[in-house]
Amino acid sequence: MKVAKFGGSSVASAEQLRKVANIITDDSDRKAIVVSAPGKRNEQDTKVTDLLIALGEAYQRGESYEEQLEQVVARFRDITNELGLDDNVLSEIKEDVKEVFASDYSDAFKIDAIKSIGEDSLAKVLSNYLKSLGLQATYLNPKDAGIYVSDEPGSAQILEESYQYLYKLRDREEIVVIPGFFGYTKDGKLVTFSRGGSDITGSIVAAGVQADLYENFTDVDSVYCVNPNIVKNPKEITSLTYKEMRELSYAGFSVFHDEALIPAFKASIPVCIKNTNNPNGLGTIIVAQKETSENPVVGIASDTGFLSLYVSKYLMNRELGFGRRLLNILEDECISFEHTPSGIDDLSVIIRESQLTKEKEQIVINRIKNELDPDTVYIERDLALIMIVGEGMDSTIGIAEKATSAFAKANVNLEMINQGSSEVSMMFGVKASGVEAAVKSLYKEFFE
Ligand SMILES: Nc1ncnc2c1ncn2[C@@H]1O[C@H](COP(=O)(O)OP(=O)(O)O)[C@@H](O)[C@H]1O
Ligand SMILES: N[C@@H](CC(=O)OP(=O)(O)O)C(=O)O
């Protein structure tokens, strides 16, 4: 049994859904289908999820959301009209929106319920389309599938008990079409995963049914060794390990959600990234172990939107608990952090900028000054992280030298270097303005 997940670009229009249906009918093992909301039909288009988020924000501002609602309905009307399907889903969307806003849930849960309408509606449309083609298919809501999650709106975590319910899907004769991106708490509240979370649903379903393969269909032929939006026509990756993909997707390979690997990894299920527009291509297979290749580096990922909280104090290393108290302040202020490179008398905390708003920044700085009495404390924003990844790196000499020389050739200053204890990756912090030049230079150094 295979689980096939189709991302937003694969379900963006009737034309794309015809391709999806062909892929499903091409392989009778593709019995569990997970779908995202319709994505962009072209560069200028807007993802349905982004339209729904705008609708929710208008509601929160107390403004009319009719325009956004009509845009969402129009996206589905185009699809149902072109595929010759009934348009019940259009009135259901309007009903769902009305019901959500009339509920007594808090705004956070209301927004999650609104965000989920894209996936939920598309899953209904796809199952209707498959049935119109004569296939035995059924829409299955995540609640009925048994996808139970924590009540953390916008960043749900799967509850382990879900897997026992999902296993029962193996007994179904028909193809089940499950909306990605969300699940339900045990007391029935709808909660979404973080953005891009339909990848997570696919992995959870694959682990639940103990699939032979989790196929993730997107709009590129494979995972490339660098973001194709930075380096044109980069080399393809034919295979990589879960650990390598986890590090690369954490550090910016948005082709696959960085939390989506965990369920498949735990259940030892291979993942294959394929292109809906070229489904017979080999794609990229993600497995537990692979043959070491002659190039110890498999990929170079980069992501912007980070900041560094820098604290220095003479004899910091002699002050027991200094680091813990600093991190406690962040925890108190509900700020998660990414990395903490440190020196003898100083400590940097790398944080995603979205975590530290300007108002929170002043609160944190004042608390550090009052509670830790540092010599200096300041925040440096507009940082980017670059990750060089490869299982073979830990036994290869000279990787750091090649990397630092690539930065020098690009005339990009290094703000930070951090070698992951796993030795599968090496991380560099640079100013966001230099990230593209640095990545291009690193690609030249390691892949050309
Ligand atoms: N290393 C990479 N390899 C392939 N694609 C990448 C990589 N890094 C970023 N991407 C981007 O990820 C996109 C696919 O992810 P996404 O937009 O989420 O697709 P989907 O709509 O299928 O979910 C590609 O179109 C590409 O622009
Ligand atoms: N539609 C949701 C979930 C998702 O996974 O989308 P996509 O498969 O298009 O990345 C989002 O935009 O976050």
Side-chain angles (χ1 to χ4, degrees):
M1 179 175 186
K2 294 176 182 172
V3 171
K5 179 260 175 179
F6 295 92
S9 56
S10 303
V11 297
S13 63
E15 179 194 2
Q16 290 302 97
L17 285 176
R18 288 195 185 95
K19 296 177 187 173
V20 167
N22 288 336
I23 291 167
I24 293 168
T25 47
D26 275 355
D27 184 340
S28 58
D29 283 343
R30 289 170 179 147
K31 293 290 297 297
I33 308 300
V34 173
V35 291
S36 288
K40 290 185 173 183
R41 293 160 293 186
N42 54 58
E43 209 34 55
Q44 292 67 41
D45 203 5
T46 306
K47 297 178 75 163
V48 163
T49 301
D50 290 325
L51 291 175
L52 288 164
I53 290 171
L55 187 159
E57 287 168 348
Y59 163 80
Q60 283 184 302
R61 291 193 302 270
E63 296 166 7
S64 161
Y65 50 78
E66 288 311 313
E67 186 188 332
Q68 292 87 345
L69 178 55
E70 183 39 43
Q71 287 177 315
V72 173
V73 171
R75 287 295 298 270
F76 284 94
R77 185 183 296 116
D78 290 350
I79 292 172
T80 52
N81 283 350
E82 198 174 325
L83 295 179
L85 301 174
D86 73 53
D87 63 358
N88 300 342
V89 72
L90 308 185
S91 50
E92 286 168 16
I93 290 171
K94 293 174 183 170
E95 278 311 305
D96 288 350
V97 169
K98 209 183 288 178
E99 211 175 286
V100 165
F101 290 152
S103 74
D104 52 9
Y105 286 132
S106 70
D107 270 6
F109 287 104
K110 284 183 179 175
I111 296 303
D112 264 25
I114 292 294
K115 281 163 36 179
S116 74
I117 290 173
E119 270 73 13
D120 200 42
S121 306
L122 198 281
K124 291 173 184 170
V125 168
L126 178 60
S127 76
N128 287 342
Y129 180 48
L130 295 175
K131 280 186 273 195
S132 76
L133 299 174
L135 291 165
Q136 296 293 314
T138 185
Y139 155 85
L140 189 62
N141 182 282
K143 190 187 291 184
D144 303 321
I147 300 180
Y148 291 105
V149 297
S150 58
D151 61 351
E152 298 169 277
S155 59
Q157 300 292 319
I158 190 71
L159 299 183
E160 285 301 313
E161 65 194 83
S162 305
Y163 295 111
Q164 62 187 309
Y165 303 121
L166 285 164
Y167 187 72
K168 294 178 187 144
L169 296 183
R170 291 181 65 93
D171 303 333
R172 289 184 171 240
E173 290 298 314
E174 77 278 24
I175 297 166
V176 288
V177 182
I178 302 170
F181 193 34
F182 67 98
Y184 287 83
T185 59
K186 293 297 281 177
D187 60 355
K189 290 200 289 285
L190 187 155
V191 188
T192 66
F193 298 112
S194 53
R195 291 302 304 269
S198 293
D199 288 340
I200 301 174
T201 303
S203 186
I204 289 166
V205 173
V209 302
Q210 291 174 24
D212 302 311
L213 179 63
Y214 167 25
E215 294 175 306
N216 188 287
F217 285 91
T218 182
D219 60 359
V220 283
D221 283 340
S222 71
V223 178
Y224 299 111
C225 58
V226 70
N227 188 329
N229 300 307
I230 296 177
V231 173
K232 292 299 165 231
N233 307 316
K235 286 191 169 62
E236 296 190 354
I237 302 175
T238 50
S239 72
L240 71 174
T241 63
Y242 293 115
K243 271 172 92 173
E244 289 172 330
M245 190 63 209
R246 162 86 173 125
E247 302 262 352
L248 290 164
S249 45
Y250 164 79
F253 276 18
S254 54
V255 61
F256 197 68
H257 193 293
D258 67 307
E259 292 173 22
L261 274 171
I262 298 158
F265 168 65
K266 282 183 178 172
S268 306
I269 294 167
V271 180
C272 194
I273 311 276
K274 293 187 173 183
N275 188 347
T276 297
N277 308 304
N278 173 29
N280 297 320
L282 277 179
T284 295
I285 189 87
I286 305 170
V287 291
Q289 259 107 28
K290 64 165 193 176
E291 296 297 309
T292 42
S293 56
E294 77 260 19
N295 189 344
V297 173
V298 74
I300 299 165
S302 58
D303 202 6
T304 55
F306 294 91
L307 62 84
S308 170
L309 167 63
Y310 175 84
V311 181
S312 75
K313 183 170 187 177
Y314 185 55
L315 294 183
M316 180 191 285
N317 66 317
R318 301 280 299 276
E319 195 170 322
L320 194 61
F322 186 92
R324 178 186 56 73
R325 282 182 287 134
L326 173 60
L327 295 179
N328 256 350
I329 290 172
L330 296 179
E331 183 181 356
D332 271 0
E333 300 299 332
C334 301
I335 295 164
S336 61
F337 69 90
E338 303 297 327
H339 311 278
T340 52
S342 66
I344 301 169
D345 295 330
D346 51 15
L347 179 68
S348 292
V349 186
I350 306 299
I351 299 168
R352 285 191 183 276
E353 287 204 303
S354 55
Q355 287 283 320
L356 195 65
T357 56
K358 276 294 182 193
E359 42 282 344
K360 263 203 183 170
E361 176 178 329
Q362 213 37 63
I363 295 169
V364 166
I365 295 278
N366 291 340
R367 284 195 60 180
I368 292 170
K369 284 180 178 169
N370 297 335
E371 297 172 37
L372 301 180
D373 187 24
D375 298 335
T376 44
V377 52
Y378 63 81
I379 284 172
E380 188 176 4
R381 289 181 176 270
D382 296 326
L383 287 185
L385 295 185
I386 297 175
M387 200 87 96
I388 299 179
V389 177
E391 296 261 10
M393 283 169 56
D394 62 345
S395 55
T396 307
I397 294 167
I399 300 284
E401 182 204 0
K402 278 180 84 167
T404 49
S405 98
F407 283 102
K409 286 173 188 165
N411 195 29
V412 172
N413 185 39
L414 283 172
E415 305 287 334
M416 177 198 66
I417 299 180
N418 192 11
Q419 163 103 25
S421 52
S422 67
E423 296 233 333
V424 168
S425 64
M426 199 177 282
M427 181 171 59
F428 302 87
V430 298
K431 278 286 188 204
S433 54
V435 68
E436 289 218 0
V439 168
K440 286 174 178 168
S441 182
L442 287 163
Y443 178 80
K444 225 183 170 113
E445 196 73 31
F446 286 101
F447 291 101
E448 285 186 347

